[in-house]
Amino acid sequence: MSLSVNLRGSDPVLILGGTAEARSLASELMAAGRNVVSSLAGRVRDPALPVGEVRVGGFSIGKLDGVTGLAAFLVDHQITAVVDATHPFAATISANAVAACARTGTPLLRLERPGWRTHPDADRWLWVDSIEQTVQAGAAYARPFLTTGRQSLAVFAEGWADKQVTTRVVDPPECTLPARWQLIRSRGPYAYADEHALMSKAGTDLLVTKDSGGTHTAAKLDAARDLGIQVLVIARPVAVGDATRVGTTTEALDLLEPWFE
Ligand code: NAP
């Protein structure tokens, strides 16, 4: 999206969401009198909903793949711009947004919260690139605290069946967990004292996390440091495409507002 772009002020901005930043942007744009449609994947049973219009579910419908379905949505709903505010690890929808926006000539802004690479302890952490590498890198640890979400649990359940894993997810897992594992169901944000108590009680020797960034789930990193627990971080997938990128809702608003006609 170039700085010479003019957005049609009355037509909706599509926010690809599922994050706190997406909800915050929807509120701010609506407060500024803009028309907004937010899109959620529909994975979480009881999602936090943004204000304004919300659609739920993937764009691949029938014979349409995700890119074609999203491109059709952009045209049918006269979307003036797309803000991809999805989670840093939601790589498929981000790639689909790049392709669908290129196909339809729709301006695309990527709102992605900064990661934890700049965290003061980041150089003490183990960094890996995939779930499979995580399983290998954690082989020597007995009591991991696994906070990488529900989708990857089956791989860990196979590779770490003999460990005393504590895992924390929002919705129930779709796979059977090993008998030795402890399952915690909750949704952040999490406070330092609670994270400290949780890992102390579980006897955690390895904290496993994605490089999600932000503050909602960052307290576990400080608690792990203070407890002398090794942290293992899965690095973000490499971004595709050349969308304009911003790190905060405020930056997104500052960029978008002058573009409206
Ligand atoms: P993904 O692998 O990139 O996407 C898989 C498929 O889900 C996409 O191809 C698309 O289906 C659909 N989809 C994803 N986000 C969508 C959205 N906002 N609106 C409509 N359809 C969407 O994504 P994921 O990692 O499964 O994450 C799913 C959603 O959860 C994302 O929106 C993300 O913001 C949120 N989330 C993800 C994580 C994480 O760790 N991955 C953490 C917190 C929140 P079609 O191809 O049919 O269009």
Side-chain angles (χ1 to χ4, degrees), residues 63-137:
K63 288 183 180 161
L64 295 188
D65 62 27
V67 175
T68 309
L70 176 53
F73 184 94
L74 299 180
V75 173
D76 293 348
H77 293 80
Q78 298 184 303
I79 298 297
T80 191
V82 176
V83 180
D84 172 14
T86 56
H87 190 272
F89 281 79
T92 305
I93 188 70
S94 290
N96 287 358
V98 168
C101 287
R103 197 179 287 181
T104 56
T106 311
L108 171 65
L109 182 64
R110 172 67 170 136
L111 165 56
E112 183 178 82
R113 69 178 86 124
W116 290 323
R117 285 267 182 198
T118 54
H119 189 283
D121 302 329
D123 57 356
R124 289 191 235 156
W125 302 337
L126 297 171
W127 287 83
V128 295
D129 289 323
S130 67
I131 302 293
E132 290 70 23
Q133 283 181 18
T134 309
V135 171
Q136 284 175 17

Side-chain angles (χ1 to χ4, degrees), residues 15-19 39-44 55-61 65-67 70 85-94 96 113 148 151 210 212:
I15 301 177
L16 300 171
T19 59
S39 175
L40 302 180
R43 294 279 158 71
V44 180
R55 66 159 303 283
V56 180
F59 293 95
S60 55
I61 298 165
D65 62 27
V67 175
L70 176 53
T86 56
H87 190 272
F89 281 79
T92 305
I93 188 70
S94 290
N96 287 358
R113 69 178 86 124
T148 50
Q151 292 186 56
K210 292 174 176 170
S212 298

Side-chain angles (χ1 to χ4, degrees), residues 181-201:
W181 284 32
Q182 187 202 355
L183 175 69
I184 299 171
R185 295 244 341 258
S186 71
R187 192 196 299 260
Y190 301 105
Y192 173 89
D194 296 331
E195 299 292 58
H196 194 283
L198 188 160
M199 286 189 272
S200 262
K201 191 172 166 213

Side-chain angles (χ1 to χ4, degrees), residues 143-145 166 198-207 229:
R143 304 177 79 98
F145 178 30
T166 301
L198 188 160
M199 286 189 272
S200 262
K201 191 172 166 213
T204 301
D205 58 2
L206 180 71
L207 167 64
I229 294 169

